[in-house]
Amino acid sequence: NSFRRFEEALLIKEPDTVPIYLLGLPPPLGERLLGRKTVWRNPALYLELFEKGKGEEANRRVAQDIIDTYKKLDLDAIRISCIIGQWITEPNYEFLPPNIKVKKLSEKLYEINGVIAQYSPEIYGLLIKEPLIPIRKEDAKKYLKEHINETYIPPESVEPIRIIAKEYKGKKFILGISWGSFYNVYHPFDKYMLWLREDKELFKLGIEFMTRRAKEFIKAQIDAGADG
């Protein structure tokens, strides 16, 4: 089946055919495929639901969009992503927990858990305006030292994985997500690279800060039903 096909490929064996999966579908394609407005990889609609206090519904609808997409396309593995959480606003989770406060500041500008981000309809994504981690070296070092042990992963943030696992566990290979050490939360990126040359302690703190969270986030996803 699809699960075994993907597993064989990961084990560097020869599957019966090349396994295929999606990184995601932009909203216009998702809507044409499913015949409805989709929330998966649609930050504007996702954040609109959160602003209305419908965070659980937002995450549930993302999970359903993913389930229905893979039913239609019959692919071999499911990559579960939201492109709003750890990539943009918070290294401890990918899907926003329902209690996260979202405030729309203007037509395309949002405050998400204290982080200012701008929606870019051209890429159906968010661009950071003010990063989670301060840009000034002294402030960044203070922030990282104060928050380095905060690795708690809210169980609600992996609920979409649980929903998808109930449908597809053992049938499709369920891929969680984890970003590397060079995060957008360090935006602008050039400042982060300067730390590597100018302040080794700060650079190591940043790597440790992200690595600790990545490890816990991976564990939480696997516990929720991800296969890898």
Side-chain angles (χ1 to χ4, degrees):
N1 64 9
S2 290
F3 180 90
R4 295 301 174 200
R5 182 177 298 127
F6 202 86
E7 186 179 51
E8 291 282 291
L10 289 177
L11 294 172
I12 319 179
K13 297 181 180 180
E14 187 173 344
D16 58 341
T17 187
V18 176
I20 301 173
Y21 74 102
L22 280 175
L23 288 176
L25 280 180
L29 291 180
E31 289 169 15
R32 288 183 65 182
L33 179 70
L34 300 181
R36 66 169 186 261
K37 204 162 187 64
T38 56
V39 186
W40 184 28
R41 300 180 76 86
N42 186 349
L45 182 52
Y46 186 83
L47 294 174
E48 179 184 318
L49 289 167
F50 264 86
E51 190 181 29
K52 293 177 179 177
K54 297 180 179 180
E56 286 185 19
E57 179 186 336
N59 286 333
R60 188 170 59 249
R61 285 178 62 178
V62 170
Q64 196 60 53
D65 287 344
I66 293 172
I67 288 170
D68 293 345
T69 296
Y70 278 83
K71 279 182 180 175
K72 285 267 190 180
L73 300 177
D74 193 28
L75 303 180
D76 298 303
I78 300 173
R79 181 179 183 265
I80 302 172
S81 67
C82 182
I83 67 166
I84 290 179
Q86 57 170 294
W87 186 48
I88 300 292
T89 58
E90 170 59 61
N92 289 48
Y93 42 74
E94 172 74 5
F95 293 87
L96 302 182
N99 63 340
I100 289 294
K101 300 298 181 185
V102 172
K103 184 179 181 182
K104 192 171 185 178
L105 304 177
S106 65
E107 184 183 357
K108 297 178 183 176
L109 202 64
Y110 296 86
E111 182 178 341
I112 309 163
N113 199 27
V115 174
I116 307 298
Q118 180 174 328
Y119 175 61
S120 174
E122 294 80 12
I123 61 170
Y124 303 105
L126 295 173
L127 304 173
I128 292 177
K129 304 299 288 184
E130 296 179 17
L132 175 70
I133 298 172
I135 293 171
R136 289 181 67 250
K137 288 195 292 185
E138 297 77 10
D139 296 336
K141 193 175 293 187
K142 182 175 183 291
Y143 180 93
L144 290 170
K145 287 180 177 179
E146 288 177 351
H147 297 277
I148 199 161
N149 293 315
E150 296 173 6
T151 57
Y152 173 71
I153 309 298
E156 302 89 347
S157 69
V158 291
E159 184 60 26
I161 296 177
R162 293 192 189 94
I163 295 171
I164 292 165
K166 286 178 184 177
E167 182 82 21
Y168 281 126
K169 190 69 174 176
K171 301 174 186 174
K172 309 282 187 186
F173 201 96
I174 300 171
L175 289 164
I177 188 168
S178 183
W179 299 93
S181 302
F182 294 82
Y183 276 60
N184 281 17
V185 290
Y186 285 106
H187 176 85
F189 189 71
D190 59 345
K191 298 292 184 186
Y192 185 37
M193 297 307 295
L194 282 173
W195 295 353
L196 178 58
R197 290 191 315 180
E198 298 176 357
D199 196 323
K200 295 292 194 298
E201 180 192 4
L202 181 53
F203 185 80
K204 288 178 180 178
L205 269 173
I207 295 292
E208 181 72 13
F209 178 88
M210 291 303 183
T211 303
R212 289 188 182 193
R213 282 155 177 74
K215 288 166 66 176
E216 293 304 314
F217 185 56
I218 290 167
K219 289 177 188 175
Q221 291 177 92
I222 291 172
D223 289 346
D227 296 304

